[in-house]
């Protein structure tokens, strides 16, 4: 059974950095895509960044472009989200997700993802 486990969240001041990890078990990352979502209190879940593992094509939400970088290590089945220049608006629970049937043109649509991690909290405050 596919399992996704996130880690790396924490407390950080504005301008700080964190690196999130998503470890995928029972999954050949060469054939899947991994997308990071986040959900802030009282807000809808939104896509942050995604990566197509076999081609390393990446996607970013406009709000994080230039600040966040997604990468993968297929050998360890890990996808990373390096988050720099964090802002209070980045405070949220961050989830990684993957799909058995993935459509790249809808990478940010959460409805296509059928495997989700449990989430990791990121809090940015001064």
């Amino acid at each position: 059974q596919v399992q996704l486990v996130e880690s790396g969240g924490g407390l950080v001041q504005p301008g700080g950095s964190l690196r999130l990890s998503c470890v995928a078990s029972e999954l050949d990352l060469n054939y899947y895509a991994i997308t990071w979502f986040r959900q802030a209190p009282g807000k809808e879940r939104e896509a942050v960044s995604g990566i197509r593992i076999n081609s390393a094509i990446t996607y970013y939400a406009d709000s994080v472009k230039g600040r966040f970088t997604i990468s993968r290590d297929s050998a360890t089945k890990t996808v990373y989200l390096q988050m720099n220049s964090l802002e209070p608006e980045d405070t949220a629970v961050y989830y990684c997700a993957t799909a058995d049937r993935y459509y790249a043109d809808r990478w940010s649509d959460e409805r296509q993802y059928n495997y989700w991690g449990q989430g990791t909290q990121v809090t940015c405050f001064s």
Side-chain angles (χ1 to χ4, degrees):
Q1 183 177 354
V2 173
Q3 283 192 320
L4 302 174
V5 179
E6 305 95 334
S7 63
L11 300 174
V12 65
Q13 292 186 331
S17 299
L18 285 173
R19 188 177 78 160
L20 305 183
S21 299
C22 171
V23 179
S25 62
E26 305 301 325
L27 193 69
D28 185 343
L29 286 187
N30 288 314
Y31 299 99
Y32 280 80
I34 296 287
T35 298
W36 285 96
F37 289 82
R38 67 185 180 187
Q39 186 166 24
K43 294 187 177 181
E44 294 185 353
R45 188 158 51 189
E46 62 174 352
V48 175
S49 180
I51 186 166
R52 293 167 61 183
I53 304 302
N54 57 348
S55 62
I57 293 176
T58 58
Y59 306 94
Y60 295 94
D62 288 343
S63 59
V64 305
K65 280 180 181 176
R67 300 188 299 123
F68 291 9
T69 303
I70 192 169
S71 62
R72 91 289 195 219
D73 182 338
S74 297
T76 61
K77 298 186 178 183
T78 303
V79 172
Y80 301 100
L81 185 67
Q82 178 67 42
M83 306 186 297
N84 298 328
S85 301
L86 282 163
E87 305 168 351
E89 293 74 21
D90 296 315
T91 295
V93 178
Y94 284 70
Y95 303 89
C96 61
T98 192
D100 285 325
R101 292 189 175 186
Y102 175 75
Y103 298 92
D105 60 339
R106 292 190 278 126
W107 75 272
S108 61
D109 186 346
E110 65 174 282
R111 294 173 295 178
Q112 71 168 318
Y113 296 92
N114 55 325
Y115 300 109
W116 293 83
Q118 83 290 348
T120 184
Q121 177 71 47
V122 171
T123 303
C124 179
F125 73 104
S126 57

